[in-house]
Amino acid sequence: MDKFQSKFTRFGFISICFGSIALVLLISHCSTSFFDYSFQKFKFSFPEETELRRNVYTSSSGEENRVVVDSRHVSQQILTVRSTNSTLQSKPEKLNRRNLVEQGLAKARASILEASSNVNTTLFKSDLPNSEIYRNPSALYRSYLEMEKRFKVYVYEEGEPPLVHDGPCKSVYAVEGRFITEMEKRRTKFRTYDPNQAYVYFLPFSVTWLVRYLYEGNSDAKPLKTFVSDYIRLVSTNHPFWNRTNGADHFMLACHDWGPLTSQANRDLFNTSIRVMCNANSSEGFNPTKDVTLPEIKLYGGEVDHKLRLSKTLSASPRPYLGFFAGGVHGPVRPILLKHWKQRDLDMPVYEYLPKHLNYYDFMRSSKFCFCPSGYEVASPRVIEAIYSECIPVILSVNFVLPFTDVLRWETFSVLVDVSEIPRLKEILMSISNEKYEWLKSNLRYVRRHFELNDPPQRFDAFHLTLHSIWLRRLNLKLT
């Protein structure tokens, strides 16, 4: 009896095993059939390839150049590869997500276009109280809301600090490091870890740190270009996104003067990608229809100098001087300014270098107008310092694309003077009525918040308006 029970038990166990295997195979077949049927029934279709179109930007060559970056080995002495996200989703799922991104952009464009003709100021009065300083405050407000609702940035994880994922936060180039830090280390709602949900892709290398650690002091930017070229080759090998658009939905960010030079490392980076740079010189390839001007904000010690912080004493500060400048003689514009005005007029103190017993920011707080001439490069932190000190910036530059010109009317809070008019500088400033001066100064107080770096960032500050400028470029880009 025991032998019979043992044989029967073994037979039953084997039967159950075979039955289970058969059941699993049947379910698998049914599931596959249903999955295939779903696609046939709903007739999902996806484009075989992407076509790049720009509304307002066309490359200088006028033709589409698609170059698939090869997978040559990246120098281990320069880059250390982080673990990259494996592509686990199916191709239809990825394409569907990209389609959703494009659909979201289309809805945003329609919404902004509708808002652009709306003159009802009550919709944005609390966030944009002074409508005079904006080109179209209604459109800006709607665009900003759409950005908050939809915009997602994917930050490539390849590379190691300090050259990548890090940057200066306590220098004249602090805005570069602060932006990278906010995208990398803060829990900003604009960052996504799913590249298929991204609207743009960030190349998080720091040009300032590249200069610091790779530059060999011989005026040769080749090591910097080699790094950037290798980095793009790395991410384009690990991911499909760069080659999909020739980098058109990618952006780099640099405040160092060598930002434009470094971007020449890759043809598509220079001609097609969004380059966010302080040195926004239109004569050196800066294209305002696709590139973004980054405001140069100096933060020695990581904070704004205490003399420039917003306070009642700053607003009430007496201003006995008509204009002021102090700075080195370099570049094409400053020699002209100093030739005509260096220590020529007591009403307009102009120095090559300020004597040590005098304070630079005290002069800015005591002047009605602050001269902001370009140096070796077009950008200068002096513009933002003038805004902070409520000293009307007098822009003396050639080919400088000012920050946030997409949305701000610089003529409402600054004075733009052609370089050829520098000999008439005092005459021009004296012709500005006291009423207009007070209007300019009042507008300057309102615009200040758009050029401030806050910790943590606040709505409509420099960090968010920089993101908004990138968002606007992405709106101009259509991937079909």
Side-chain angles (χ1 to χ4, degrees):
M1 187 70 177
D2 292 338
K3 285 185 178 181
F4 176 78
Q5 286 181 343
S6 176
K7 290 181 179 179
F8 182 80
T9 302
R10 284 198 297 271
F11 176 77
F13 176 75
I14 293 171
S15 300
I16 292 173
C17 289
F18 277 108
S20 300
I21 292 171
L23 182 61
V24 169
L25 291 174
L26 178 63
I27 293 174
S28 175
H29 175 73
C30 292
S31 299
T32 304
S33 300
F34 178 75
F35 182 78
D36 293 338
Y37 172 74
S38 298
F39 271 85
Q40 293 172 3
K41 179 179 179 181
F42 294 106
K43 296 182 180 179
F44 292 153
S45 62
F46 302 97
E48 293 297 324
E49 60 182 9
T50 59
E51 177 186 0
L52 177 62
R53 250 192 0 258
R54 279 201 179 276
N55 286 354
V56 292
Y57 169 66
T58 305
S59 65
S60 57
S61 63
E63 62 182 5
E64 183 180 15
N65 298 314
R66 289 195 177 277
V67 180
V68 178
V69 183
D70 63 27
S71 56
R72 287 180 293 168
H73 177 65
V74 179
S75 172
Q76 294 300 320
Q77 296 176 347
I78 298 178
L79 289 175
T80 301
V81 184
R82 284 188 180 183
S83 59
T84 56
N85 296 329
S86 59
T87 53
L88 297 177
Q89 293 104 338
S90 63
K91 186 175 181 180
E93 182 181 354
K94 290 182 184 179
L95 290 170
N96 189 42
R97 288 185 178 183
R98 291 203 291 270
N99 287 345
L100 290 175
V101 167
E102 293 304 317
Q103 290 172 13
L105 285 168
K107 291 178 181 178
R109 293 185 193 105
S111 177
I112 296 166
L113 183 62
E114 179 185 4
S116 64
S117 59
N118 191 340
V119 294
N120 185 3
T121 61
T122 58
L123 296 175
F124 55 82
K125 198 67 175 178
S126 59
D127 288 303
L128 306 175
N130 185 354
S131 60
E132 289 184 313
I133 64 176
Y134 306 107
R135 294 186 180 278
N136 189 320
S138 181
L140 167 60
Y141 184 64
R142 184 66 62 84
S143 177
Y144 193 91
L145 293 182
E146 290 288 344
M147 179 189 75
E148 289 183 317
K149 177 182 178 181
R150 305 177 188 278
F151 199 41
K152 296 297 179 184
V153 179
Y154 179 75
V155 182
Y156 282 113
E157 296 184 355
E158 284 77 3
E160 291 292 336
L163 303 184
V164 189
H165 310 293
D166 193 15
C169 293
K170 298 181 180 181
S171 74
V172 68
Y173 305 122
V175 66
E176 180 180 310
R178 289 287 289 270
F179 187 93
I180 294 174
T181 299
E182 293 300 337
M183 293 306 303
E184 288 277 357
K185 300 175 182 178
R186 309 284 185 182
R187 293 187 176 180
T188 174
K189 66 180 180 180
F190 295 103
R191 181 175 182 179
T192 178
Y193 291 88
D194 182 353
N196 294 297
Q197 292 183 344
Y199 285 66
V200 293
Y201 301 84
F202 181 33
L203 303 164
F205 55 81
S206 167
V207 173
T208 303
W209 277 173
L210 293 182
V211 173
R212 178 174 178 177
Y213 293 106
L214 300 182
Y215 177 57
E216 298 175 352
N218 55 1
S219 300
D220 184 7
K222 185 177 179 180
L224 284 67
K225 291 182 178 180
T226 299
F227 177 90
V228 172
S229 178
D230 286 348
Y231 189 80
I232 291 175
R233 185 177 301 115
L234 177 65
V235 299
S236 64
T237 301
N238 290 346
H239 308 274
F241 312 111
W242 177 274
N243 290 324
R244 190 179 71 194
T245 65
N246 283 9
D249 52 358
H250 288 58
F251 74 95
M252 62 165 284
L253 182 140
C255 194
H256 195 278
D257 293 346
W258 281 18
L261 185 63
T262 305
S263 70
Q264 294 176 9
N266 180 282
R267 181 181 61 182
D268 289 331
L269 178 63
F270 188 88
N271 292 321
T272 309
S273 297
I274 302 168
R275 299 179 303 153
V276 185
M277 299 182 296
C278 290
N279 188 15
N281 189 336
S282 61
S283 69
E284 297 179 354
F286 184 90
N287 188 333
T289 60
K290 77 170 189 68
D291 297 327
V292 172
T293 305
L294 186 65
E296 190 166 341
I297 304 173
K298 182 169 66 176
L299 296 177
Y300 283 122
E303 296 181 354
V304 175
D305 189 278
H306 70 279
K307 291 180 179 290
L308 300 182
R309 292 173 190 166
L310 194 61
S311 64
K312 293 181 180 179
T313 57
L314 176 63
S315 300
S317 177
R319 302 192 179 258
Y321 301 114
L322 179 64
F324 166 70
F325 171 79
V329 184
H330 51 78
V333 179
R334 294 186 184 186
I336 302 174
L337 176 64
L338 290 167
K339 175 185 176 181
H340 289 280
W341 297 105
K342 180 181 177 181
Q343 298 181 355
R344 294 286 185 90
D345 195 311
L346 295 178
D347 289 337
M348 298 198 322
V350 174
Y351 296 90
E352 183 174 347
Y353 288 104
L354 197 65
K356 292 184 179 180
H357 67 281
L358 300 176
N359 185 275
Y360 180 80
Y361 293 133
D362 283 342
F363 265 104
M364 296 191 90
R365 288 168 52 108
S366 302
S367 303
K368 291 182 177 179
F369 300 92
C370 286
F371 305 137
C372 303
S374 295
Y376 286 126
E377 305 297 346
V378 292
S380 169
R382 188 175 280 102
V383 176
I384 309 304
E385 290 173 332
I387 293 174
Y388 287 174
S389 60
E390 296 188 5
C391 182
I392 311 300
V394 179
I395 309 298
L396 303 169
S397 185
V398 180
N399 302 317
F400 181 32
V401 181
L402 292 162
F404 311 141
T405 51
D406 299 300
V407 295
L408 296 179
R409 296 173 60 214
W410 276 81
E411 67 274 15
T412 64
F413 56 88
S414 68
V415 178
L416 309 177
V417 178
D418 192 273
V419 172
S420 63
E421 297 292 323
I422 287 179
R424 298 183 53 247
L425 204 49
K426 185 173 184 179
E427 177 187 346
I428 292 171
L429 297 182
M430 290 291 290
S431 67
I432 297 175
S433 66
N434 188 62
E435 181 181 6
K436 183 176 180 180
Y437 166 74
E438 292 296 337
W439 176 72
L440 291 169
K441 188 177 178 181
S442 175
N443 291 338
L444 207 59
R445 296 188 189 114
Y446 279 105
V447 83
R448 174 189 175 118
R449 68 174 179 140
H450 299 315
F451 296 95
E452 290 182 319
L453 288 172
N454 299 296
D455 187 13
Q458 299 177 12
R459 296 182 76 215
F460 294 99
D461 67 0
F463 171 76
H464 285 107
L465 272 201
T466 299
L467 269 181
H468 182 261
S469 295
I470 299 168
W471 158 253
L472 288 180
R473 271 64 181 176
R474 184 61 180 90
L475 283 172
N476 283 335
L477 177 68
K478 292 183 180 180
L479 301 176
T480 304

